[in-house]
Amino acid sequence: MRIEDSGLVVPLRPDVTTVGRGRGVDIRLDDPSVSRLHAEIVRRGPYVYVVDMGLSRNGTRVNGRPIARRVLEDGDVVSFGTARCRMGGIPREEVDPDVELRRAVAPELTRREVDVLTSLCRPALSDEAFVAPATAREIASDLVVTEAAVKQHLLRLYQKFRIPEGANRRTRLANEVIAMGLVRPLPPVHVPQQSRPPMDGRTTGVRSPAEARRPGAPGHVPGHVTGPGRAPSTAGRRAS
C-alpha cells in the first residue's frame, strides 16, 4: 500500500493489517480525519479486502465510493477519511468487487447476551466522531452485574460470532454486530434527569437475528462487500 501524501510504500501483513491514527495500529496515518482504529485490510489467499471498522464519522472509500467491506483490486485508491492510499501487487482474480461478501448467519442469542451487545455497542452508536466500544467494566456498571460475568458473556459472544483472538477483539465484535444490523441507534428521546434508560431490548433497537437479516427491514445494512468469504490459501505475489 502506497501512502500518497508521503509516497511511503508499506507491505501488508500476511493476515490482518490495521490502519488508523492510533499508536497501536500497523499502518499509522497522521491525519485528523482518520480514527485511531479506522479500518482493517484482510488477506485471504489471493484476495485482499478492506473493512471499515464502523466507528468513524469520516468512513472509508474505495475509488471515491463509501464502503463497509470491499474486495480490492490492483491500483484501487482507498481513502481513510481524507488520507489517500493506493493498492499495488494484488494478483488479478475473476472477482466482481461490487458483489457483496456473504456474511455468516447471525447466531442465536440469549436475552442477557443481547443486553451485553447493546451495552457494548452503545458508545459506537453515539454522535461522537470516534469512541471505542464499552469496556467490560462499563458494561458491568451499565447492567448492574459483576465484571467477571460480563467477561464470560463476551467470551461466549466471541465464539458465537467467530471473532479470533488478538488485539481489538471488542471492537471487531461491535463492528460485526452493527454491520449485521443486530444493534442500531434510535432517535433521541427525552430522559428525565437522574433517570436510567431502560435496558429492555425493545427500547434499545435490538432485534432478533431473523428480523435483522430480512432485506428491507429497518436498520438492515446493505452493501457489505464483495467476493467470497474465505478463499483457499494459495501462494501469491506480495501485496503492498
Side-chain angles (χ1 to χ4, degrees), residues 23-38:
R23 295 182 180 180
V25 298
D26 299 317
I27 299 179
R28 189 177 182 187
L29 301 174
D30 188 16
D31 187 306
S33 68
V34 177
S35 295
R36 285 175 289 174
L37 177 61
H38 198 105

PDB file of all heavy atoms in Angstrom, residues 23-38:
ATOM      1  N   ARG A  23      -1.518   4.749  18.068  1.00  0.00           N
ATOM      2  CA  ARG A  23      -0.147   4.255  18.143  1.00  0.00           C
ATOM      3  C   ARG A  23      -0.045   2.751  17.977  1.00  0.00           C
ATOM      4  O   ARG A  23       1.014   2.236  17.617  1.00  0.00           O
ATOM      5  CB  ARG A  23       0.460   4.658  19.495  1.00  0.00           C
ATOM      6  CG  ARG A  23       0.617   6.160  19.667  1.00  0.00           C
ATOM      7  CD  ARG A  23       1.274   6.506  20.994  1.00  0.00           C
ATOM      8  NE  ARG A  23       1.432   7.937  21.155  1.00  0.00           N
ATOM      9  CZ  ARG A  23       1.970   8.513  22.223  1.00  0.00           C
ATOM     10  NH1 ARG A  23       2.396   7.748  23.232  1.00  0.00           N
ATOM     11  NH2 ARG A  23       2.083   9.823  22.296  1.00  0.00           N
ATOM     12  N   GLY A  24      -1.130   2.031  18.225  1.00  0.00           N
ATOM     13  CA  GLY A  24      -1.061   0.575  18.198  1.00  0.00           C
ATOM     14  C   GLY A  24      -1.384  -0.053  16.852  1.00  0.00           C
ATOM     15  O   GLY A  24      -1.412  -1.284  16.760  1.00  0.00           O
ATOM     16  N   VAL A  25      -1.624   0.730  15.809  1.00  0.00           N
ATOM     17  CA  VAL A  25      -2.005   0.163  14.514  1.00  0.00           C
ATOM     18  C   VAL A  25      -0.760  -0.216  13.712  1.00  0.00           C
ATOM     19  O   VAL A  25       0.352   0.230  13.998  1.00  0.00           O
ATOM     20  CB  VAL A  25      -2.869   1.154  13.704  1.00  0.00           C
ATOM     21  CG1 VAL A  25      -4.161   1.452  14.439  1.00  0.00           C
ATOM     22  CG2 VAL A  25      -2.114   2.445  13.415  1.00  0.00           C
ATOM     23  N   ASP A  26      -0.972  -1.038  12.682  1.00  0.00           N
ATOM     24  CA  ASP A  26       0.146  -1.454  11.832  1.00  0.00           C
ATOM     25  C   ASP A  26       0.567  -0.355  10.865  1.00  0.00           C
ATOM     26  O   ASP A  26       1.759  -0.159  10.616  1.00  0.00           O
ATOM     27  CB  ASP A  26      -0.247  -2.704  11.041  1.00  0.00           C
ATOM     28  CG  ASP A  26      -0.588  -3.879  11.953  1.00  0.00           C
ATOM     29  OD1 ASP A  26       0.155  -4.092  12.929  1.00  0.00           O
ATOM     30  OD2 ASP A  26      -1.588  -4.567  11.685  1.00  0.00           O
ATOM     31  N   ILE A  27      -0.398   0.348  10.286  1.00  0.00           N
ATOM     32  CA  ILE A  27      -0.109   1.466   9.382  1.00  0.00           C
ATOM     33  C   ILE A  27      -0.715   2.719   9.990  1.00  0.00           C
ATOM     34  O   ILE A  27      -1.939   2.845  10.084  1.00  0.00           O
ATOM     35  CB  ILE A  27      -0.678   1.215   7.970  1.00  0.00           C
ATOM     36  CG1 ILE A  27      -0.048  -0.040   7.360  1.00  0.00           C
ATOM     37  CG2 ILE A  27      -0.429   2.428   7.077  1.00  0.00           C
ATOM     38  CD1 ILE A  27      -0.566  -0.369   5.979  1.00  0.00           C
ATOM     39  N   ARG A  28       0.137   3.632  10.418  1.00  0.00           N
ATOM     40  CA  ARG A  28      -0.333   4.840  11.108  1.00  0.00           C
ATOM     41  C   ARG A  28      -0.399   6.004  10.122  1.00  0.00           C
ATOM     42  O   ARG A  28       0.580   6.315   9.439  1.00  0.00           O
ATOM     43  CB  ARG A  28       0.612   5.186  12.265  1.00  0.00           C
ATOM     44  CG  ARG A  28       0.080   6.284  13.156  1.00  0.00           C
ATOM     45  CD  ARG A  28       1.014   6.537  14.313  1.00  0.00           C
ATOM     46  NE  ARG A  28       0.505   7.568  15.211  1.00  0.00           N
ATOM     47  CZ  ARG A  28       1.181   8.074  16.220  1.00  0.00           C
ATOM     48  NH1 ARG A  28       2.414   7.631  16.477  1.00  0.00           N
ATOM     49  NH2 ARG A  28       0.652   9.008  16.981  1.00  0.00           N
ATOM     50  N   LEU A  29      -1.555   6.648  10.055  1.00  0.00           N
ATOM     51  CA  LEU A  29      -1.780   7.796   9.186  1.00  0.00           C
ATOM     52  C   LEU A  29      -1.996   9.019  10.065  1.00  0.00           C
ATOM     53  O   LEU A  29      -2.958   9.087  10.823  1.00  0.00           O
ATOM     54  CB  LEU A  29      -3.002   7.559   8.297  1.00  0.00           C
ATOM     55  CG  LEU A  29      -2.948   6.328   7.387  1.00  0.00           C
ATOM     56  CD1 LEU A  29      -4.276   6.126   6.666  1.00  0.00           C
ATOM     57  CD2 LEU A  29      -1.807   6.457   6.374  1.00  0.00           C
ATOM     58  N   ASP A  30      -1.090   9.962   9.960  1.00  0.00           N
ATOM     59  CA  ASP A  30      -1.149  11.172  10.789  1.00  0.00           C
ATOM     60  C   ASP A  30      -2.060  12.196  10.126  1.00  0.00           C
ATOM     61  O   ASP A  30      -1.612  13.139   9.488  1.00  0.00           O
ATOM     62  CB  ASP A  30       0.258  11.732  10.988  1.00  0.00           C
ATOM     63  CG  ASP A  30       0.286  12.874  12.002  1.00  0.00           C
ATOM     64  OD1 ASP A  30      -0.703  13.022  12.749  1.00  0.00           O
ATOM     65  OD2 ASP A  30       1.291  13.617  12.038  1.00  0.00           O
ATOM     66  N   ASP A  31      -3.364  11.958  10.266  1.00  0.00           N
ATOM     67  CA  ASP A  31      -4.366  12.822   9.638  1.00  0.00           C
ATOM     68  C   ASP A  31      -5.535  12.929  10.599  1.00  0.00           C
ATOM     69  O   ASP A  31      -6.054  11.914  11.066  1.00  0.00           O
ATOM     70  CB  ASP A  31      -4.816  12.214   8.305  1.00  0.00           C
ATOM     71  CG  ASP A  31      -5.735  13.122   7.512  1.00  0.00           C
ATOM     72  OD1 ASP A  31      -6.777  13.561   8.068  1.00  0.00           O
ATOM     73  OD2 ASP A  31      -5.435  13.401   6.345  1.00  0.00           O
ATOM     74  N   PRO A  32      -5.985  14.146  10.931  1.00  0.00           N
ATOM     75  CA  PRO A  32      -7.071  14.304  11.908  1.00  0.00           C
ATOM     76  C   PRO A  32      -8.393  13.684  11.470  1.00  0.00           C
ATOM     77  O   PRO A  32      -9.269  13.427  12.312  1.00  0.00           O
ATOM     78  CB  PRO A  32      -7.207  15.822  12.066  1.00  0.00           C
ATOM     79  CG  PRO A  32      -6.559  16.401  10.853  1.00  0.00           C
ATOM     80  CD  PRO A  32      -5.481  15.460  10.460  1.00  0.00           C
ATOM     81  N   SER A  33      -8.569  13.427  10.183  1.00  0.00           N
ATOM     82  CA  SER A  33      -9.813  12.821   9.705  1.00  0.00           C
ATOM     83  C   SER A  33      -9.813  11.300   9.860  1.00  0.00           C
ATOM     84  O   SER A  33     -10.831  10.647   9.614  1.00  0.00           O
ATOM     85  CB  SER A  33     -10.047  13.170   8.232  1.00  0.00           C
ATOM     86  OG  SER A  33      -9.087  12.539   7.401  1.00  0.00           O
ATOM     87  N   VAL A  34      -8.676  10.752  10.275  1.00  0.00           N
ATOM     88  CA  VAL A  34      -8.533   9.306  10.435  1.00  0.00           C
ATOM     89  C   VAL A  34      -8.758   8.938  11.899  1.00  0.00           C
ATOM     90  O   VAL A  34      -8.209   9.589  12.796  1.00  0.00           O
ATOM     91  CB  VAL A  34      -7.138   8.836   9.974  1.00  0.00           C
ATOM     92  CG1 VAL A  34      -6.966   7.337  10.200  1.00  0.00           C
ATOM     93  CG2 VAL A  34      -6.924   9.183   8.505  1.00  0.00           C
ATOM     94  N   SER A  35      -9.555   7.905  12.155  1.00  0.00           N
ATOM     95  CA  SER A  35      -9.802   7.453  13.511  1.00  0.00           C
ATOM     96  C   SER A  35      -8.587   6.703  14.049  1.00  0.00           C
ATOM     97  O   SER A  35      -7.738   6.239  13.296  1.00  0.00           O
ATOM     98  CB  SER A  35     -11.017   6.532  13.559  1.00  0.00           C
ATOM     99  OG  SER A  35     -12.184   7.233  13.203  1.00  0.00           O
ATOM    100  N   ARG A  36      -8.552   6.557  15.375  1.00  0.00           N
ATOM    101  CA  ARG A  36      -7.445   5.824  15.992  1.00  0.00           C
ATOM    102  C   ARG A  36      -7.373   4.397  15.455  1.00  0.00           C
ATOM    103  O   ARG A  36      -6.296   3.867  15.195  1.00  0.00           O
ATOM    104  CB  ARG A  36      -7.596   5.828  17.508  1.00  0.00           C
ATOM    105  CG  ARG A  36      -7.241   7.172  18.130  1.00  0.00           C
ATOM    106  CD  ARG A  36      -7.529   7.158  19.623  1.00  0.00           C
ATOM    107  NE  ARG A  36      -8.969   7.160  19.894  1.00  0.00           N
ATOM    108  CZ  ARG A  36      -9.491   7.036  21.110  1.00  0.00           C
ATOM    109  NH1 ARG A  36      -8.696   6.875  22.153  1.00  0.00           N
ATOM    110  NH2 ARG A  36     -10.788   7.067  21.279  1.00  0.00           N
ATOM    111  N   LEU A  37      -8.496   3.732  15.318  1.00  0.00           N
ATOM    112  CA  LEU A  37      -8.579   2.445  14.628  1.00  0.00           C
ATOM    113  C   LEU A  37      -9.627   2.621  13.543  1.00  0.00           C
ATOM    114  O   LEU A  37     -10.821   2.596  13.815  1.00  0.00           O
ATOM    115  CB  LEU A  37      -8.958   1.317  15.587  1.00  0.00           C
ATOM    116  CG  LEU A  37      -9.141  -0.048  14.927  1.00  0.00           C
ATOM    117  CD1 LEU A  37      -7.862  -0.511  14.254  1.00  0.00           C
ATOM    118  CD2 LEU A  37      -9.608  -1.085  15.936  1.00  0.00           C
ATOM    119  N   HIS A  38      -9.186   2.832  12.325  1.00  0.00           N
ATOM    120  CA  HIS A  38     -10.088   3.248  11.257  1.00  0.00           C
ATOM    121  C   HIS A  38     -10.589   2.059  10.426  1.00  0.00           C
ATOM    122  O   HIS A  38     -11.772   1.954  10.115  1.00  0.00           O
ATOM    123  CB  HIS A  38      -9.381   4.243  10.346  1.00  0.00           C
ATOM    124  CG  HIS A  38     -10.311   5.046   9.496  1.00  0.00           C
ATOM    125  ND1 HIS A  38     -10.615   6.367   9.735  1.00  0.00           N
ATOM    126  CD2 HIS A  38     -11.039   4.705   8.403  1.00  0.00           C
ATOM    127  CE1 HIS A  38     -11.465   6.809   8.825  1.00  0.00           C
ATOM    128  NE2 HIS A  38     -11.749   5.810   7.998  1.00  0.00           N
TER     129      HIS A  38
END
